[in-house]
Amino acid sequence: MVSKTAIDDFLGQESLALAGLSRSGKKFGNAVLKDLSAKGYEVLPVHPDAAEIGGVRCYPSLADLPSRVGGLVLVVPPAQTEALVKEARETGIVRVWMQQGAESDAAIRYCEDHGINVVHGECIMMFAQPKGIHKFHRWLRGAFGKLPADDA
């Protein structure tokens, strides 16, 4: 299980890369971009085939980002996650958040084996100053004792 400390460390970063936007604007990655940007994070989208989505500039790879980021949010299929965590390591990114559905055992192991702090199995929108349904989901999980705990 992921610790509250790992989550807080990730969310303490001011600049994040995000992989998983769709050109249609209707996927969860697009909602994450909007939500995190509204909360004051600098979010740099990575998309290999789009220079811009919804008026926001995208970068073809992590290596093409204009500046260092504190972490990488992944909202992509597990096979893409496995490639992106390797690219993250190569570019010096040491924090990765694998949104539910993006994680794989291989990607999690890779992060753990290579000193990358990894959050998985949790929804970033439940922890980054949650509002609306995400705030309710967080409250509900807390009521049932299902939220990550502090490191022991």
Side-chain angles (χ1 to χ4, degrees), residues 85 96 98 106-118:
V85 295
V96 170
M98 296 177 195
I108 293 166
R109 262 192 320 277
Y110 182 88
C111 289
E112 293 170 346
D113 291 347
H114 292 91
I116 297 171
N117 298 326
V118 60

Side-chain angles (χ1 to χ4, degrees), residues 4-152:
K4 183 178 179 308
T5 303
I7 290 170
D8 291 344
D9 177 57
F10 189 94
L11 295 175
Q13 306 309 305
E14 295 177 2
S15 179
L16 301 170
L18 169 65
L21 293 180
S22 75
R23 290 184 183 139
S24 71
K26 297 179 182 183
K27 298 289 184 175
F28 193 74
N30 301 78
V32 170
L33 171 65
K34 182 179 178 184
D35 187 70
L36 293 179
S37 295
K39 292 173 179 170
Y41 289 94
E42 176 188 26
V43 183
L44 302 173
V46 175
H47 193 291
D49 302 318
E52 181 181 295
I53 295 176
V56 178
R57 179 173 181 195
C58 297
Y59 300 90
S61 71
L62 296 174
D64 292 310
L65 294 173
S67 59
R68 289 186 59 92
V69 294
L72 168 62
V73 181
L74 295 167
V75 192
V76 296
Q80 289 178 341
T81 294
E82 292 171 12
L84 284 164
V85 295
K86 292 174 183 173
E87 187 180 346
R89 180 173 182 249
E90 292 167 7
T91 58
I93 296 172
V94 297
R95 293 172 194 85
V96 170
W97 189 299
M98 296 177 195
Q99 188 64 29
Q100 293 120 319
E103 70 265 62
S104 75
D105 290 339
I108 293 166
R109 262 192 320 277
Y110 182 88
C111 289
E112 293 170 346
D113 291 347
H114 292 91
I116 297 171
N117 298 326
V118 60
V119 177
H120 56 89
E122 302 293 347
C123 176
I124 194 164
M125 291 170 62
M126 276 183 36
F127 291 93
Q129 306 164 30
K131 295 181 182 178
I133 191 71
H134 294 100
K135 186 173 185 174
F136 174 71
H137 284 163
R138 182 178 171 141
W139 175 84
L140 193 60
R141 286 195 57 208
F144 286 97
K146 302 288 185 181
L147 287 176
D150 290 323
D151 293 332

